[in-house]
Amino acid sequence: LAVTFTNKAAGEMRERVGRLLPTRPGGLPLVTTFHSLGVRLLREFHKEAGIPRGFSIWDQDDSTRAVKGILKQLGTEEWTPRQILSAISREKGAGRLARDYREHAGNRREQMVALVWERYEKILNEEGSLDFDDLLVRTLTLFRESPKTLSLLQNRWQYITVDEYQDTNTVQYEISRLLAGERKNICVV
């Protein structure tokens, strides 16, 4: 398994790997982005993850539209959808869930982010959707809550390469660490 951050980088890596490795019975290693890996695994293990197999993925416009509607319902213009989504994304990238964030929300801004985040998650769930950050957070949650799934994947990929490792966030690091498992066969670039 080799993961990177952009589709372009993944495509270039895939080409290089294809030129370097002879064709073999198991095929080439999987070369993908963290987010594409998340989509692949969440669709494959949707039951274990507790999500519909055919979940849709919200883009920035979908998320902005939802948060804008929530802020309108709450009757506040103090914060923009972009500010709220940025805070949510930062927290998801650190591996925090809405319920955990709410428990530690101190000031008015944090309390508003917590309130909007909970309503935002409710809309996502009702529509059978995930946002871009959920592709990673839900993958990490799957690994933590389903040891059987994690074990299967650790045996599927005995060697892991992470390109542009310096750009990994907490969730991406944890996904990589858990996949490497006890073997710890991980190469970072």
Side-chain angles (χ1 to χ4, degrees):
L1 171 67
V3 288
T4 189
F5 288 88
T6 66
N7 290 325
K8 181 180 179 189
E12 290 173 5
M13 287 172 63
R14 218 174 284 116
E15 270 182 40
R16 291 176 188 166
V17 168
R19 286 193 305 264
L20 290 171
L21 295 178
T23 306
R24 45 185 228 202
L28 294 175
L30 177 61
V31 180
T32 188
T33 65
F34 275 103
H35 289 90
S36 293
L37 177 64
V39 171
R40 175 187 290 246
L41 296 178
L42 290 171
R43 291 209 193 282
E44 182 178 349
F45 300 101
H46 65 98
K47 288 178 185 167
E48 293 83 350
I51 56 177
R53 180 180 176 90
F55 64 84
S56 62
I57 302 168
W58 277 13
D59 62 16
Q60 191 66 35
D61 289 341
D62 297 321
S63 296
T64 301
R65 198 170 14 262
V67 170
K68 188 175 185 177
I70 294 166
L71 291 172
K72 187 174 182 177
Q73 287 173 352
L74 295 171
T76 183
E77 293 181 8
E78 192 171 351
W79 297 280
T80 66
R82 183 177 178 184
Q83 290 170 314
I84 299 290
L85 284 168
S86 178
I88 293 170
S89 181
R90 185 175 44 256
E91 294 301 316
K92 284 184 176 183
R96 290 185 196 86
L97 303 174
R99 67 178 179 263
D100 301 327
Y101 183 81
R102 181 187 65 234
E103 290 175 13
H104 297 97
N107 61 40
R108 278 181 4 93
R109 182 188 155 281
E110 290 173 351
Q111 290 171 359
M112 179 58 70
V113 169
L115 179 60
V116 172
W117 190 355
E118 288 176 340
R119 291 183 181 198
Y120 175 70
E121 290 294 322
K122 185 174 186 243
I123 294 169
L124 282 168
N125 288 334
E126 288 171 354
E127 296 194 13
S129 301
L130 301 177
D131 68 15
F132 209 56
D133 294 313
D134 288 332
L135 299 175
L136 300 178
V137 173
R138 297 296 286 266
T139 300
L140 180 57
T141 301
L142 168 67
F143 291 175
R144 288 179 172 162
E145 294 180 0
S146 178
K148 182 178 175 184
T149 301
L150 179 59
S151 177
L152 185 140
L153 294 170
Q154 289 169 337
N155 289 318
R156 181 181 294 177
W157 297 307
Q158 295 180 24
Y159 301 96
I160 300 168
T161 299
V162 180
D163 184 42
E164 301 292 340
Y165 179 75
Q166 74 279 2
D167 294 332
T168 56
N169 64 26
T170 302
V171 173
Q172 292 160 332
Y173 166 77
E174 280 299 308
I175 288 170
S176 304
R177 186 183 68 76
L178 289 171
L179 282 174
E182 289 181 18
R183 289 188 189 102
K184 298 181 182 173
N185 287 335
I186 189 165
C187 173
V188 299
V189 181

